[in-house]
């Protein structure tokens, strides 16, 4: 703590405190008698007894200073005696963390040496002061709820990266993450902690016990009979794992939960505290007591309406008070204990914040009567105390504590001068002010009072076998209906209370975004904009440094409050300027992305790097936007590069070596450190401790680049209705001239979209886990209740165990359902859903406007497309348990607009980033899996649909084709042979990991898009061969890879020694199998929709395509259907990871192609297909017989009699009550196909003449020679040379370039 009188070293403002008594009227000072009475009332004696008027010393402003000094010194003598060194404590009087020698591992320590972040596996650190006698306490503010051990240790304890506090003999710790206590061994103890909790650590060295409290509630004695005696002194200590963080309070601030009989390790500033309370009492007297000059008497005044009103007597009195009070208000402890509580007491009378102007008057007094540095420090400490109190207040049912602190924050920020100072210097620079917009979720619902608020719990209990809530409407019992309604009423009560907090948070943001300040200088909104942009840069540029990032749970709340505030200001501007757009029509104009007025840091653009775009599109910028790029600028650093090179050599030289080597990147605002400080400027490392000076900061922070306009630009931009010369410079001709809104609001909107992309979407998905847990426990409870009902009465032991399980599940569900209510209100409420929906529509409109600019669309940051896709995914998947997306206004139209964006841009040449292209492709693939979104794709204009299908049918080489193939398969699923299933037959009895996966949705084919595909393949003679050859190539690769991998798996399984198959290898193997099946389905789709591509031999390449197809189908059939073959053995192993590998999916896909070619075409086509199939040397009739369960007699004889292996047959997949895999009509076609091939193969065998080996193709030895090459005259069959010429123009044999191929007819003479 700062010593007494710290402020006296600075020169104070020189106020004229004495007056000339002979000129009372000129100076405005009241007469001496009235002044004497007034000053004695303001400054009473210490005992509070006022002596009679005749006996008391007259007071004037000439002797007031002496009188005040005497009053303040009355108790100092008694207090000074307490400044002696206390028995039982050793070390400095100011207790901090020992950052010089008392640590182990890598740690980040805050500037105040009280906050610490773990930066290694298990770092440890202790305090600078120890205790050996008496009762002592300190508090730890938990900033993250991970693995930490907090407690006490001795100087002899030696820690390492594996062992910390509590793992050695003379160290004792509490671990709220694992709910255990540690002293070499470990046992259960206490309760689990959460971020925002306060742990009190108590040690009684008289009795030899150690105890802990959580949020002021005792957890009981943790250890007794601890080691004491000579040489035994205990230090506060902590061990924490990577990125976990806490802040200590050894007594530098008032303890939040003091315990009677225990003293903090650091003594409070008692003398200063007495002075501060006395001076505050005098200040209260000034506010309560007024002077009636006309009547010549003192009067009681209403404090709520007190104003200074220029009274010289009162002003000089206040000057004397503040002369002593101001230096004290620079001290942390006094601001927290005296000033903050006084200001809070003003607001305790209730009513709106505006009803208490006294706080504004007091802030005016502070700016008037205190030095600037004193006001600055006082305001900084006040906001730090408010934020700490808000974050670490326990959750109570009415959220009264949080409301209390937010109201005072609003009152302080209403003062314009204070607000601007705090915005400029504190809120984003020193404080983590985003904490003010966060509402923490209670981990322990009983302590949060949710049991009283939501006395009745409820959860859905109608589930399918997969664990999904059943879509079928079942009759709800009367009891269940009453429970659900009572639960809903409790949720509504909770919602109303949380809405009060949210409204206060919005009020804070409205103050920060105010651009109508009465004072001079830059308006609050523009200061906020600069800080907000820097905040975004820190989070965008440090994605790998977790200590710098704003936690996602904070981001979610901040986003919603910012959207509410932005829309309020946006619609307010619309009311004043009717020509502007409303917030429902909001979008970000495209010129923001290329005119350089907004800095997007190093974020990727759709067209690549900004420097590259400025070079390649400089002509388009000049033509469309009238923006000229200076050639010199293209040589220099681009706008998106950070100003790293501007750091001076001096600052680099001053930085310690260790900081440059391992700590330089960590000298950033830290989000995981102490609850209020935002900077962790000390990087502690036991490996580098000799190389660095821990007492010096790591150097200047990395310089941030953010857009900073002059004050004139910042204000004039928003005064005009168009703002053409400011933020909207470079309007393209496609963009309307209509005013959108105030330019500053456009910049905030752009930042909101970026915020969602940084971490909000990730957090929305994370919190769905609580809902999933509820479903899991509800399913387990339902299963347990069914078992209880079936349990035999004689098995009492089983019955009791089941009842115990039922009780555990019920208690867990009661807890989770109340916690889920909180999460649904704070994260998944209808209002929050509407915010995300509004953001989705903003992104859609922004993308559509950007698309119209042609080539300039490449300047748009990638995150706009990402947010459009992710926000739709969140609305569909994360909010659905509570609210349905169908309830949103304009839902169908929005889906159609998003479908048009996905259909157009997944193959847009202006988008070069592989990640964003893959994301677009995956989004489109997911989009076509659901009926409502697939219908939206069908509603987009026909031209866009055809263009989408043309892009999907592009050759598969040189692009990520797997997702494209998946899209085509989903458009076909439900129309193919035996392709109406959601899950494979052998997986029906197993539970899927996630029943909401797109691949597990019911088939919803699109005949409209299928027709577009058929028309394109028929009409474009070049498209069909190139597309189908690429599909056949990929099928050949995928199936060959699959066979190779299952050979390795089989060999590993047959080894005698114990071995394990790599799970990654199993996953790749299953993926290759799935790809093979999906490629076969695409071939089936093509054969069905446009059979002439294979069967009309007047088309070029048709015969070759048919022969290649027959060859691959025969290879697949032979590999899969051979009796007791490799495929059979691996399938029967039933390895985890190979669940999808089975006979059914691949054989049914092949059968579908064969049936289409042989049974569902005209006579000529079937004849050609049959001839090609039978002519292939790999064709085996037994493979077709296998489909219907006709096993070879030799194989049946070889099988042991006890074998219970079920033989595959399409007969086993006939429709039943539960399944519909193969229809009777489809089965009949397969039987007819088998009869047809049997008959045709017999006739072919009878009519085939023997061919000499010399006449066979020397490449395949399957077909006779039928082609001769020019100019070398080498020969082969047509199939081989045609396939070879697709990829290579050199001869098989002599490598000469082939210029032509002629038919070869064997001469008769030979």
């Amino acid at each position: 703590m700062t010593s007494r009188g710290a402020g006296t070293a600075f020169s104070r403002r020189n106020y004229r405190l004495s007056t000339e008594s002979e000129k009372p009227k000129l100076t405005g000072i009241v007469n001496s008698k009235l002044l004497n009475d007034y000053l004695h009332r303001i400054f009473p004696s210490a005992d509070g007894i006022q002596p009679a008027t005749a006996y008391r010393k007259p007071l004037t402003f000439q002797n007031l200073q002496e009188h005040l000094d005497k009053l303040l010194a009355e108790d100092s003598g008694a207090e000074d005696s307490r400044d002696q060194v206390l028995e039982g404590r050793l070390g400095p009087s100011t207790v901090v963390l020992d950052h010089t020698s008392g640590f182990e591992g890598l740690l980040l320590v805050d500037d105040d040496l009280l906050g610490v972040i773990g930066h290694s596996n298990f770092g440890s650190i202790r305090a600078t002061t120890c205790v050996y006698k008496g009762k002592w306490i300190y508090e730890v503010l938990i900033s993250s709820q991970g693995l930490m051990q907090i407690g006490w240790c001795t100087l002899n304890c030696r820690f390492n990266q594996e062992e910390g506090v509590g793992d050695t003999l003379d160290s004792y710790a509490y671990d709220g993450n694992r709910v255990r206590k540690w002293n070499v061994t470990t046992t259960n103890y206490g309760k689990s902690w959460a971020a925002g909790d306060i742990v009190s650590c108590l040690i009684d060295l008289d009795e030899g016990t150690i105890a802990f409290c959580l949020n002021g509630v005792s957890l009981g004695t943790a250890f007794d009979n601890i080691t004491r005696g000579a040489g035994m002194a205990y230090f506060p200590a902590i061990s924490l794992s990577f990125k976990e963080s806490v802040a200590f309070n050894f007594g530098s601030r008032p303890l939040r939960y003091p315990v009677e009989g225990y003293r903090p390790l650091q003594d409070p500033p008692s003398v200063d505290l007495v002075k501060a309370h006395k001076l505050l009492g005098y200040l209260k007297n000034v506010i309560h007591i007024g002077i009636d000059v006309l009547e010549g008497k003192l009067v009681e005044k209403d404090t709520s309406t007190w104003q200074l009103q220029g009274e010289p007597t009162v002003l000089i009195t206040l000057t004397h008070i503040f002369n002593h009070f101001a230096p004290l208000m620079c001290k942390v402890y006094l601001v927290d204990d005296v000033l903050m509580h006084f200001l809070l007491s003003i607001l305790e009378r209730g009513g709106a914040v505006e009803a208490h102007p006294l706080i504004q008057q007091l802030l005016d007094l502070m700016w008037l009567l205190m030095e600037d540095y004193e006001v600055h420090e006082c305001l900084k400490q006040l906001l730090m105390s408010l934020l700490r109190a808000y974050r670490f207040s326990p959750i109570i049912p009415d959220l009264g504590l949080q409301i209390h602190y937010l109201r005072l924050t609003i009152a302080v920020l209403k003062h314009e001068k204070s607000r601007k100072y705090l915005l400029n210097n504190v809120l984003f620079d020193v404080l983590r002010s985003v904490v003010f917009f966060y509402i923490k979720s209670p981990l322990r619902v009983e302590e949060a009072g949710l049991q009283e608020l939501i006395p009745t719990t409820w959860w859905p209990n109608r589930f399918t076998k997969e664990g999904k809530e059943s879509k079928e409407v079942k009759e709800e019992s009367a009891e269940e209906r009453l429970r659900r309604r009572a639960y809903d009423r409790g949720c509504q009560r909770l919602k109303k209370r949380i809405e009060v907090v949210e409204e206060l948070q919005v009020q804070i943001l409205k103050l920060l975004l105010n651009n109508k300040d009465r004072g001079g200088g830059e308006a609050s909104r523009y200061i906020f904009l600069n800080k907000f942009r820097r905040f975004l840069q820190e989070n965008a540029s440090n994605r790998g440094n977790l200590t710098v990032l704003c936690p996602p749970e904070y981001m979610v709340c901040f986003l919603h409050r910012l959207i509410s505030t932005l829309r309020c200001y946006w619609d307010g501007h619309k009311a004043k300027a009717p020509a502007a757009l409303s917030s429902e029509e909001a979008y970000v104009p495209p010129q923001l992305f290329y005119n350089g007025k907004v800095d997007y840091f190093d974020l990727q653009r759709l067209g690549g790097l900004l420097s590259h775009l400025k070079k390649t599109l400089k002509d388009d910028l000049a033509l469309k936007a009238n923006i000229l790029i200076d050639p010199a600028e293209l040589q220099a650093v681009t706008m998106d590069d950070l100003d790293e090179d501007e750091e001076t050599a001096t600052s680099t030289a001053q930085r310690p070596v260790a900081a440059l080597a391992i700590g330089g990147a960590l000298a950033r605002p830290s989000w995981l450190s102490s609850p209020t400080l935002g900077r962790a400027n000390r990087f502690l490392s036991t490996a580098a401790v000799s190389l660095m000076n821990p007492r010096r900061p790591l150097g200047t922070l990395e310089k941030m680049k953010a857009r900073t306009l002059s004050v004139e630009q910042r204000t004039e931009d928003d005064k005009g209705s168009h703002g053409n010369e400011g933020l909207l410079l470079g309007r393209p001709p496609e963009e309307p001239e209509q005013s959108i809104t105030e330019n500053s609001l456009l910049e905030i909107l752009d930042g909101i979209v970026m915020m969602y992309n940084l971490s909000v979407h990730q957090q929305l998905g994370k919190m769905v886990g609580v809902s999933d847990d509820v479903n899991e426990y509800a399913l387990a409870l339902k299963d347990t209740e069914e078992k209880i009902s079936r349990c035999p009465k004689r098995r009492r032991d089983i019955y009791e165990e089941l009842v115990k399980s039922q009780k555990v599940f019920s208690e867990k569900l009661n807890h989770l359902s109340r916690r889920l209510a909180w999460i649904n209100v704070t994260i998944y409420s209808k209002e929050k859903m509407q915010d995300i929906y509004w953001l989705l529509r903003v992104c859609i409109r922004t993308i559509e406007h950007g698309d119209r600019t042609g080539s300039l669309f490449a300047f748009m940051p990638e995150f706009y497309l990402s947010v459009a896709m992710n926000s739709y995914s969140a609305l569909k998947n994360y909010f659905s348990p509570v609210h349905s997306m169908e309830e949103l206004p304009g839902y169908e139209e929005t889906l159609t607009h998003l479908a048009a964006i996905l259909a157009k841009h997944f193959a847009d040449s202006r988008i070069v980033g592989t990640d964003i292209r893959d994301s677009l492709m995956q989004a489109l693939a997911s989009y076509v899996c659901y009926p409502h979104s697939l219908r939206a794709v069908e509603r987009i204009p026909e031209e866009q649909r055809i263009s989408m299908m043309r892009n999907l049918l592009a050759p598969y080489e040189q692009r990520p084709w797997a997702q494209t193939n998946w899209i085509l398969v989903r458009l076909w699923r439900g129309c193919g042979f035996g392709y109406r299933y959601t899950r494979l037959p052998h997986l029906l009895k197993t539970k899927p990991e996630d029943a909401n996966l797109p691949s597990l949705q019911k088939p919803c084919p699109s005949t409209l898009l299928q027709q577009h595909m058929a028309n394109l393949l028929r009409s474009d003679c070049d498209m069909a061969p190139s597309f189908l050859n690429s599909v056949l190539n990929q099928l050949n690769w995928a199936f060959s890879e699959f066979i190779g991998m299952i050979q390795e798996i089989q060999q590993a399984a047959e080894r005698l020694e114990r071995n394990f198959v790599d799970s990654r290898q199993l996953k790749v193997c299953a993926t290759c199998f799935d790809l093979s099946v999906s490629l076969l389905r695409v071939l089936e789709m093509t054969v069905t929709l446009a059979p002439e591509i294979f069967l009309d031999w007047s088309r070029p390449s048709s015969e070759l395509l048919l022969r290649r197809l027959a060859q691959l189908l025969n290879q697949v059939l032979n590999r899969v259907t051979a009796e007791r073959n490799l495929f059979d053995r691996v399938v029967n192993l039933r390895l985890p990871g190979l669940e999808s590998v089975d006979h059914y999916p691949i054989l049914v896909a092949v059968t579908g192609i064969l049936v289409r070619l042989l049974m569902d075409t005209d006579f000529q086509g079937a004849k050609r297909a049959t001839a090609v199939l039978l002519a292939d040397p790999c064709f085996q009739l037994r493979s077709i017989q296998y489909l219907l369960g006709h096993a070879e007699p030799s194989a049946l004889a070889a099988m042991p009699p006890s074998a219970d292996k079920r033989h595959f047959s399409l007969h086993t997949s006939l429709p039943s009550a539960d399944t519909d895999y193969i229809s009777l009509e489809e089965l009949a076609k397969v039987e007819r196909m088998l009869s047809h091939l049997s008959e045709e193969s017999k006739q072919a065998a009878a009519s085939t003449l023997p061919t000499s080996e010399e006449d066979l193709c020397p490449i395949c030895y399957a077909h006779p020679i039928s082609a001769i090459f020019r100019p070398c005259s080498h020969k082969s069959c047509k199939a081989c040379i045609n396939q070879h010429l697709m990829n290579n123009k050199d001869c098989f044999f002599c490598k000469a370039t082939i210029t032509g191929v002629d038919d070869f007819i064997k001469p008769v003479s030979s």
Side-chain angles (χ1 to χ4, degrees), residues 1037-1139:
W1037 168 83
F1039 191 73
S1040 300
E1041 287 290 313
F1042 168 70
I1043 293 298
M1045 277 185 278
I1046 63 173
Q1047 286 176 342
E1048 294 177 9
I1049 293 170
Q1050 175 63 21
Q1051 290 169 3
E1054 288 178 346
R1055 294 193 191 107
L1056 294 177
E1057 66 273 15
R1058 186 172 182 178
N1059 57 83
F1060 300 92
V1061 181
D1062 187 0
S1063 59
R1064 289 175 297 178
Q1065 184 181 7
L1066 294 175
K1067 187 175 181 180
V1068 172
C1069 180
T1071 301
C1072 287
F1073 179 79
D1074 293 339
L1075 287 174
S1076 301
V1077 173
S1078 64
L1079 288 163
L1080 286 168
R1081 286 298 183 181
V1082 170
L1083 289 170
E1084 179 195 20
M1085 180 182 183
T1086 309
V1087 168
T1088 305
L1089 297 176
E1092 58 270 29
I1093 295 173
F1094 292 94
L1095 302 177
D1096 182 4
W1097 286 6
S1098 63
R1099 297 170 63 97
S1101 303
S1102 288
E1103 183 181 358
L1104 173 63
L1105 288 172
L1106 183 59
R1107 291 187 184 281
R1108 288 196 68 194
L1109 177 63
Q1111 181 185 13
L1112 282 170
L1113 294 180
N1114 282 324
Q1115 287 179 5
V1116 172
L1117 280 172
N1118 293 342
R1119 288 284 191 177
V1120 176
T1121 61
E1123 289 292 342
R1124 305 186 66 190
N1125 67 356
L1126 178 66
F1127 186 86
D1128 270 346
R1129 292 197 294 271
V1130 171
V1131 167
N1132 291 331
L1133 289 175
R1134 294 298 177 201
L1135 296 174
L1138 293 184
E1139 293 87 357

Side-chain angles (χ1 to χ4, degrees), residues 825-884:
V825 169
T826 55
I827 298 178
Y828 300 119
S829 69
K830 187 175 182 179
E831 292 74 19
K832 309 299 185 298
M833 186 180 193
Q834 289 170 344
D835 284 347
I836 304 300
Y837 182 59
W838 178 80
L839 200 59
L840 167 62
R841 298 180 69 165
V842 166
C843 290
I844 288 174
R845 281 189 289 270
T846 302
I847 294 167
E848 290 173 344
H849 280 263
D851 182 36
R852 294 172 198 154
T853 62
S855 58
L856 299 184
F857 180 61
F859 282 95
M860 179 178 287
E862 286 184 353
F863 65 77
Y864 273 89
L865 279 169
S866 298
V867 172
M869 294 181 285
N870 290 336
S871 57
Y872 167 72
S873 173
L875 291 169
K876 180 168 64 71
N877 298 320
Y878 303 156
F879 290 85
S880 55
V882 187
H883 302 287
S884 172

